[in-house]
Amino acid sequence: MNYTKEQILERCNQFTKNTLMETLKIEYIDAGEDFLTAKMPVNPAVHQPMGLLHGGASVALAESVGSAASFFFIDPKEQEVRGIEISANHLKSIREGYVFGTARIIHKGRSIHLWEIKITDEEGNLISLCKLTNMVLDRKKS
């Protein structure tokens, strides 16, 4: 990555405007050479009917952070990222507080990025374990 931590976080938080990430109140909070972390509040807006964090909200957090992380390994003028597969194992439930999604690169190829995203609670307990595959595409010339 050729960006500072501050540049990464500012850019990620900027491009969430008017998106699902803004609706879910996802905020990017930490970044490093091989990871990106975002947090999301757990409240009734992301609950399923039993009052627990909805698995779909967890997956939305995972795909958001993994896709954003891939963006920093490409040339955005020439390439773009598309999520092509995501899997999730929901291991623990949570009713309130925050969850944190941390994406760590497993494979960084020219055309495929593979990420592991761990979603944890405020105490560091593992809530969900996700795997995201992103495809890197050349931008179409107009």
Side-chain angles (χ1 to χ4, degrees), residues 16-34:
T16 64
K17 303 293 184 225
N18 299 313
T19 67
L20 178 65
M21 288 82 75
E22 183 176 56
T23 300
L24 296 177
K25 296 184 174 31
I26 292 172
E27 178 187 357
Y28 294 90
I29 60 168
D30 198 9
E33 282 295 313
D34 68 343

Side-chain angles (χ1 to χ4, degrees), residues 12-65:
C12 286
N13 286 312
Q14 211 169 41
F15 64 55
T16 64
K17 303 293 184 225
N18 299 313
T19 67
L20 178 65
M21 288 82 75
E22 183 176 56
T23 300
L24 296 177
K25 296 184 174 31
I26 292 172
E27 178 187 357
Y28 294 90
I29 60 168
D30 198 9
E33 282 295 313
D34 68 343
F35 78 95
L36 180 63
T37 300
K39 72 177 184 176
M40 179 178 71
V42 180
N43 56 42
V46 295
H47 282 170
Q48 42 93 312
M50 300 300 292
L52 303 170
L53 174 63
H54 193 291
S58 296
V59 171
L61 172 61
E63 185 155 358
S64 297
V65 73

Side-chain angles (χ1 to χ4, degrees), residues 109-122:
R110 232 176 4 92
S111 60
I112 296 288
H113 294 170
L114 179 62
W115 295 92
E116 175 186 75
I117 301 100
K118 289 184 177 178
I119 299 177
T120 58
D121 64 16
E122 292 168 286

